[in-house]
Amino acid sequence: MSETAERDARHKARMQRKKALIDEKIAQAQDEYGLLLVHSGNGKGKSSSAFGMVARALGHGIKVGVVQFIKGAASTGEETFFRRFPEEVSYHVMGEGFTWETQDRQRDIAKAQQAWAVARHLLSDESVGLVVLDELNIALKHGYLELDTVLADIEARPLLQHVVVTGRGALPGMIEAADTVTEMSLVKHAFKSGVKAQKGIEF
Amino acid sequence: MSETAERDARHKARMQRKKALIDEKIAQAQDEYGLLLVHSGNGKGKSSSAFGMVARALGHGIKVGVVQFIKGAASTGEETFFRRFPEEVSYHVMGEGFTWETQDRQRDIAKAQQAWAVARHLLSDESVGLVVLDELNIALKHGYLELDTVLADIEARPLLQHVVVTGRGALPGMIEAADTVTEMSLVKHAFKSGVKAQKGIEF
């Protein structure tokens, strides 16, 4: 083999190894990408399950962002607990919450938009591995946010970032976009037999 | 009115006030008692939701006990995370887990009994406000524990203690005993389209 042919052969072999490596990395990237999980249904556990995933992520050293779209009025146990770790969890609750009762639709829309601006910021932060969009489905169902905008921002997130969307009444477009959809159904509920809401269980 | 009649009337009034107070306390105790929650079904979120409730309870300053009946082999994110708080969470994972693969039924039964001894201890501790019995339904379904024993110990727990039992295939007796039963159903799952399990999401 001439010196040139030998150099060409070495080059070819190197390129082949490089291509194999790149192919492997592409395959890996396709295997390991951030999932969009939706928790819907009328049962309990939609938000709790998302917060369990927050604990799981923190156990793996993954940074988390949380935006609560509804429960702004009351301080929940999860909020109190996860705010203990400001370096690991970026926790946002929308002002005083929505105003289903007061019927001030323009104020609700403004608050939802503000909340979405915070969510978009988290969805563009590569250092955040898990984003919880708690009760987002409710804001979408009421038309306070546009589904197209929301899905576009979710689609544009960092490749490895996971997103969990909770709330009953997930729109068909959200279900379509999701990797995993879980429906929480109520089989039996103590409240129906007159037991009142319990701290640490319900709120 | 004679002095005696007056004294009798005062006594009667005091007793009536006392009875009203006691009645109120009884009513309150009946209103606020520990719930037995069951998370079953083939969907995701059964355990995550229980761990979200752990976070919620901790946010309210409620002490928690956890016994994992299945996931003993792998260290999960939740375990790593909640073990950070040994003063607040008493966390127990059963040895190397069960041996579905090795078919050593006697060893499985022995391990399940050990796990139940730990659970019983938590179920008799008034300072523990929430007990998570993760994947207990699986151990019951395989007959490694007796349902009657398990339900009797759960029934005998402190009045205000909440219990969460997770795992697919909850036995009818467990559902009967529960205050709240949630069925997690799989609507759509990324794994079915070939995405592999993700750290921080699946384990």
Side-chain angles (χ1 to χ4, degrees):
Chain A
M1 211 189 289
S2 75
E3 206 182 324
T4 306
E6 210 175 315
R7 203 168 55 217
D8 283 354
R10 275 206 310 272
H11 177 80
K12 192 180 171 191
R14 199 170 68 231
M15 287 300 106
Q16 278 173 340
R17 285 200 304 276
K18 195 169 179 178
K19 182 180 183 306
L21 195 69
I22 289 169
D23 286 349
E24 194 186 323
K25 281 193 179 173
I26 289 170
Q28 205 176 347
Q30 283 172 339
D31 260 11
E32 289 193 11
Y33 64 82
L35 300 174
L36 172 58
L37 312 180
V38 173
H39 298 173
S40 198
N42 295 320
K44 299 166 64 55
K46 295 186 288 293
S47 297
S48 294
S49 172
F51 286 108
M53 288 170 58
V54 171
R56 183 175 302 174
L58 294 176
H60 288 297
I62 294 170
K63 279 181 70 180
V64 178
V66 177
V67 183
Q68 287 193 296
F69 283 84
I70 296 291
K71 289 171 190 159
S75 170
T76 68
E78 291 96 333
E79 184 185 350
T80 307
F81 181 66
F82 286 118
R83 280 196 192 278
R84 282 201 215 165
F85 320 101
E87 303 290 311
E88 297 164 84
V89 183
S90 172
Y91 206 109
H92 307 271
V93 176
M94 291 332 297
E96 310 132 79
F98 289 112
T99 55
W100 316 125
E101 292 84 7
T102 63
Q103 306 293 324
D104 186 347
R105 187 172 163 80
Q106 289 314 310
R107 180 172 168 278
D108 290 346
I109 291 174
K111 284 204 168 281
Q113 303 287 345
Q114 284 165 23
W116 190 252
V118 174
R120 181 182 286 140
H121 182 75
L122 292 167
L123 291 167
S124 63
D125 185 344
E126 293 228 0
S127 77
V128 174
L130 171 66
V131 176
V132 175
L133 303 172
D134 189 47
E135 304 288 7
L136 172 62
N137 286 334
I138 308 283
L140 288 166
K141 195 170 60 176
H142 283 79
Y144 293 163
L145 293 171
E146 281 197 18
L147 181 65
D148 287 352
T149 310
V150 162
L151 289 181
D153 289 340
I154 289 175
E155 275 300 307
R157 75 191 187 278
L159 190 66
L160 297 177
Q161 189 183 70
H162 301 297
V163 174
V164 187
V165 171
T166 79
R168 59 180 66 187
L171 296 180
M174 179 62 75
I175 289 172
E176 177 64 28
D179 295 293
T180 302
V181 179
T182 307
E183 180 88 4
M184 276 73 168
S185 317
L186 189 66
V187 174
K188 183 177 175 181
H189 199 323
F191 288 15
K192 300 215 163 146
S193 33
V195 179
K196 74 176 183 181
Q198 308 275 314
K199 189 167 78 173
I201 293 289
E202 298 294 328
F203 59 95
Chain B
M1 210 189 291
S2 75
E3 206 183 324
T4 307
E6 211 175 315
R7 203 168 56 217
D8 283 354
R10 277 205 309 273
H11 177 79
K12 191 178 171 192
R14 196 169 70 230
M15 287 301 105
Q16 277 172 342
R17 286 199 304 275
K18 194 167 179 178
K19 182 180 182 309
L21 195 70
I22 290 169
D23 285 350
E24 196 186 323
K25 281 193 179 173
I26 290 170
Q28 205 176 348
Q30 282 172 340
D31 261 11
E32 289 192 12
Y33 64 82
L35 299 174
L36 171 59
L37 312 180
V38 173
H39 297 171
S40 197
N42 295 320
K44 300 166 62 53
K46 295 186 288 292
S47 297
S48 294
S49 172
F51 287 108
M53 287 169 58
V54 171
R56 182 175 303 174
L58 294 177
H60 288 297
I62 294 170
K63 280 181 69 179
V64 178
V66 177
V67 183
Q68 287 193 297
F69 284 84
I70 295 292
K71 291 170 188 160
S75 170
T76 68
E78 290 97 333
E79 185 185 350
T80 306
F81 181 67
F82 287 118
R83 279 196 193 276
R84 282 200 214 166
F85 320 101
E87 302 290 312
E88 297 163 83
V89 183
S90 172
Y91 205 109
H92 307 270
V93 176
M94 292 331 297
E96 310 131 80
F98 288 112
T99 54
W100 318 124
E101 293 84 6
T102 64
Q103 306 292 325
D104 186 347
R105 185 172 164 82
Q106 289 315 310
R107 180 173 167 278
D108 290 346
I109 290 172
K111 283 203 169 283
Q113 303 287 347
Q114 284 165 25
W116 190 252
V118 174
R120 181 182 285 140
H121 182 75
L122 292 167
L123 290 167
S124 63
D125 185 344
E126 293 229 0
S127 77
V128 175
L130 172 66
V131 177
V132 175
L133 302 172
D134 190 46
E135 305 289 6
L136 171 62
N137 286 334
I138 308 282
L140 287 167
K141 194 170 61 177
H142 283 79
Y144 293 163
L145 293 171
E146 281 196 17
L147 182 65
D148 287 351
T149 310
V150 163
L151 289 182
D153 288 340
I154 288 175
E155 276 299 308
R157 75 192 187 278
L159 189 66
L160 297 177
Q161 189 183 69
H162 301 295
V163 174
V164 187
V165 171
T166 79
R168 59 181 66 188
L171 297 180
M174 180 62 75
I175 288 172
E176 177 64 29
D179 296 292
T180 301
V181 179
T182 307
E183 180 87 5
M184 276 76 168
S185 317
L186 189 65
V187 175
K188 184 178 175 182
H189 199 323
F191 288 14
K192 301 216 161 144
S193 34
V195 179
K196 74 175 183 183
Q198 309 275 311
K199 188 167 78 173
I201 293 290
E202 298 294 329
F203 58 94

